[in-house]
Amino acid sequence: VEEVIEQADYLYGSGETEKLYRLLVQHKTSEDAELLWRLARASRDLAQLSSTSSEEKQQLVYEALEYAKKALEKNESNFAAHKWYAICISDVGDYEGIKAKIANAFVIKEHFQRAIELNPKDATSIHLMGIWCYSFADMPWYQRKIAAMLFATPPTSTYKEALRYFHMAEEADPNFYSKNLLFLGKTYLKLNNKKMALLWLSKAKEYPAHTEEDKQVQKEALELLNSI
C-alpha cells in the first residue's frame, strides 16, 4: 500500500490525472482509507477535465463519492476522508436539484468542520469552509425561500464568517491557493472594503498560473479589478 501511495502522490504532484486514476482504480477494493480517499480525489479530478464527456463526468462524480464514503467507514479519524467526502457530496448535489443541495449543506459543513478539527493546519479544508459560508451568505432569495420551506432552521452564514475562514487558511499556509486570494478579494468587495479588495485581487491576478483553475482565477481577478 505504501508503495502505491508514494507513486500516487508523485503522479498527483506531476498533474498526471489519468495515469493516477488508472493506478488507483486497480485498488478500489482496498481497505485502506489513505488509498481510498486518494482514489476519490483522482476520480473527481478526472471528472473535472475538459476532455471528459458529461456522461463520464456524472459517473465519476458518483464513483468518487462511493470511494470517499468507504474511506470514512474504514477510518473515522482520517481528516482527508472527511474533507473529500464533503467535496464529493457537494459535487453530487449538482445532479440532484436544489432540495438535495440544501439538505446536503448541513452534512458538508459537519465534515469540513471535522476535517479542520482533525487537522487544523490543512489550509484547503479551512478554505472550503470559507466557500461554504460565502455560498450561503450569497444565496439568491428564491433559494432562501426553498430552504426556509424545507427546514425549520435553514443553513445560513455571513460574509464576515467567510472572511474569517479565508484569512485562517492564509495563516495556515500563506499563498497556497490562487482561489483563496480571489475569494478574500471578492468577500471584501461584498463588505464594501475596496482598499482590501484591491490588495487581494491584485495578489490573485499576479499568482503564477500552474493549472487551468489558476488561469480562470487570474481572469476573474482582472475583470473584478477593472470593475472597481
Side-chain angles (χ1 to χ4, degrees):
V1 166
E2 274 171 19
E3 227 169 82
V4 177
I5 287 174
E6 203 174 304
Q7 213 180 333
D9 288 348
Y10 172 76
L11 289 171
Y12 181 74
S14 322
E16 296 274 7
T17 309
E18 284 152 3
K19 271 188 197 166
L20 174 60
Y21 176 78
R22 283 200 300 272
L23 166 75
L24 289 173
V25 81
Q26 299 169 42
H27 304 276
K28 65 180 178 188
T29 55
S30 168
E31 301 285 301
D32 191 280
E34 288 291 329
L35 237 161
L36 289 163
W37 74 252
R38 281 174 173 81
L39 176 54
R41 179 179 68 182
S43 307
R44 181 182 188 269
D45 286 349
L46 193 57
Q48 304 276 328
L49 292 182
S50 51
S51 54
T52 305
S53 73
S54 50
E55 291 81 38
E56 275 179 305
K57 181 179 171 142
Q58 185 170 350
Q59 193 188 334
L60 284 162
V61 161
Y62 278 92
E63 225 177 88
L65 179 60
E66 280 311 303
Y67 301 139
K69 193 173 166 184
K70 201 171 154 199
L72 257 189
E73 284 163 10
K74 299 298 170 200
N75 186 355
E76 235 305 293
S77 57
N78 185 309
F79 89 92
H82 282 280
K83 171 166 82 175
W84 286 98
Y85 183 62
I87 291 170
C88 294
I89 289 183
S90 177
D91 287 348
V92 162
D94 292 342
Y95 296 99
E96 305 202 328
I98 189 74
K99 272 189 185 179
K101 223 178 164 75
I102 294 167
N104 287 343
F106 293 104
V107 184
I108 292 166
K109 184 181 186 181
E110 195 184 306
H111 285 282
F112 281 144
Q113 285 177 327
R114 187 75 185 111
I116 295 166
E117 270 168 38
L118 291 165
N119 184 0
K121 296 246 180 298
D122 183 50
T124 314
S125 299
I126 304 169
H127 164 79
L128 290 166
M129 195 58 236
I131 294 282
W132 188 97
C133 295
Y134 186 95
S135 309
F136 281 97
D138 208 37
M139 200 183 204
W141 66 268
Y142 66 90
Q143 290 187 4
R144 276 184 212 283
K145 233 175 158 171
I146 296 170
M149 276 156 51
L150 292 175
F151 303 101
T153 50
T156 55
S157 190
T158 62
Y159 292 118
K160 278 191 172 155
E161 195 178 2
L163 191 66
R164 188 169 65 84
Y165 280 110
F166 295 140
H167 274 298
M168 270 167 66
E170 254 345 273
E171 279 162 32
D173 189 359
N175 226 22
F176 75 106
Y177 188 27
S178 60
K179 210 167 172 183
N180 200 59
L181 305 172
L182 175 70
F183 269 90
L184 274 159
K186 284 172 77 160
T187 312
Y188 273 118
L189 264 186
K190 294 284 186 187
L191 293 165
N192 292 318
N193 186 333
K194 282 189 180 172
K195 191 179 156 197
M196 292 304 280
L198 284 168
L199 171 77
W200 290 103
L201 290 171
S202 301
K203 286 188 181 193
K205 181 180 73 83
E206 280 145 30
Y207 194 91
H210 297 301
T211 64
E212 206 49 49
E213 188 177 45
D214 291 335
K215 286 174 196 155
Q216 284 298 324
V217 163
Q218 281 185 347
K219 189 170 162 252
E220 192 178 340
L222 185 62
E223 283 165 8
L224 287 168
L225 282 166
N226 289 337
S227 73
I228 295 175

